Amino acid sequence: MDELGKILVIIPTYNERTNLPLITDRVRRCTPDVDILVVDDNSPDGTGELADRMAATDPQLKVLHRTAKDGLGAAYIAGFRWAIAQGYDVMVEMDADGSHQPEQLDSLLGALGSADLVLGARWVPGGRAVNWPKYREAISRTGNFYARHMLSIPLHDATGGYRAFRRETLEKLDLDTVDSRGYCFQIDLALRAYRGGLRVVEVPITFTDRVHGTSKMSQAIVLEAMWRVTQWGVRGRLRRR
């Protein structure tokens, strides 16, 4: 991984007090050389305060506090901006709830050697979801099928949130114009990278449903994603005409 430069794993949190020590410990054991940035959205359960205490004894753990819960996309963009300002070369998205396996991070980073953006994918050969409710799997598969065909992109898991970016990739995606808030943020960045001619690669991952805490998924998030994908797809077809 030395050839990739400085690597930062960005973990957004909102009420993840129980999960945070578990996920950071796994990252540290699997990839001890990477740094971790916790981006906390003023969690009422004290996740931010816990992160500060952990960072006080771990120089590789950083904490970025935001004043309110403003969506996954905004949290990641804040983390990306912080990372770029601090001189990191690679930024990794990872959920706090343990659904993304730190043990598979080496696989994503290895693929980044010949790519600009690597997506951890559940719906490709070798990928899978474990202990996930059937309705959640159906929503994810349907949403990805719709995005793939509506947007004409050869990606099977554009909604996944376990991914690795080169700094140069993020600098080319015009983050100032990204206003997606929920999970459609993931589709937005993947679409920008693909349409921008960047090398986007999918590698299989095992996604495991959270054990502790509650999911942030909601009907509003699903509807936002469907509406925006439809808008992007129609605009793209009009431009091609």
Side-chain angles (χ1 to χ4, degrees):
M1 291 188 296
D2 290 344
E3 65 275 9
L4 294 176
K6 292 176 60 180
I7 302 169
L8 182 71
V9 175
I10 303 174
I11 303 178
T13 56
Y14 185 78
N15 289 347
E16 298 287 0
R17 183 183 177 90
T18 301
N19 287 315
L20 183 61
L22 302 176
I23 194 66
T24 54
D25 180 64
R26 288 173 65 188
V27 172
R28 184 63 65 241
R29 283 188 283 111
C30 296
T31 48
D33 293 334
V34 309
D35 290 348
I36 301 171
L37 173 66
V38 176
V39 183
D40 186 68
D41 277 6
N42 197 25
S43 298
D45 73 345
T47 302
E49 290 80 358
L50 173 61
D52 284 335
R53 292 197 296 274
M54 293 168 58
T57 61
D58 183 354
Q60 290 178 266
L61 178 62
K62 323 293 181 180
V63 186
L64 179 61
H65 293 278
R66 301 198 326 131
T67 58
K69 190 174 186 292
D70 190 30
L72 184 71
Y76 269 126
I77 288 177
F80 293 153
R81 294 195 187 286
W82 185 92
I84 291 171
Q86 297 297 317
Y88 285 92
D89 302 292
V90 172
M91 295 74 158
V92 177
E93 295 184 13
M94 182 183 292
D95 286 352
D97 60 13
S99 57
H100 299 147
Q101 311 303 303
E103 294 77 10
Q104 295 182 316
L105 179 55
D106 276 345
S107 177
L108 271 70
L109 295 175
L112 198 61
S114 59
D116 300 300
L117 166 60
V118 175
L119 309 181
R122 298 157 290 186
W123 316 128
V124 298
R128 62 182 182 139
V130 177
N131 298 329
W132 220 22
K134 290 298 182 183
Y135 79 91
R136 288 288 303 277
E137 180 174 338
I139 290 172
S140 179
R141 286 184 179 275
T142 300
N144 276 290
F145 176 85
Y146 184 70
R148 184 165 64 253
H149 290 277
M150 191 69 188
L151 302 174
S152 299
I153 54 176
L155 302 175
H156 293 81
D157 200 353
T159 64
Y162 195 11
R163 47 182 63 185
F165 297 83
R166 291 183 179 273
R167 183 189 68 248
E168 296 85 356
T169 301
L170 289 169
E171 291 173 337
K172 293 174 181 177
L173 297 187
D174 194 10
L175 297 179
D176 288 338
T177 64
V178 176
D179 62 357
S180 307
R181 287 291 182 263
Y183 286 90
C184 66
F185 167 79
Q186 309 292 12
I187 305 174
D188 193 347
L189 293 199
L191 177 63
R192 287 169 184 245
Y194 177 74
R195 287 184 174 172
L198 301 178
R199 297 165 296 171
V200 182
V201 173
E202 291 183 296
V203 299
I205 62 166
T206 297
F207 177 96
T208 305
D209 195 23
R210 68 162 61 234
V211 175
H212 306 289
T214 57
S215 171
K216 311 303 188 296
M217 178 63 74
S218 68
Q219 185 180 39
I221 288 173
V222 174
L223 292 175
E224 180 200 16
M226 295 295 287
W227 172 241
R228 288 187 179 272
V229 167
T230 302
Q231 285 183 310
W232 297 330
V234 170
R235 289 173 186 168
R237 294 178 186 188
L238 290 174
R239 281 197 297 267
R240 288 195 294 271
R241 290 180 183 177

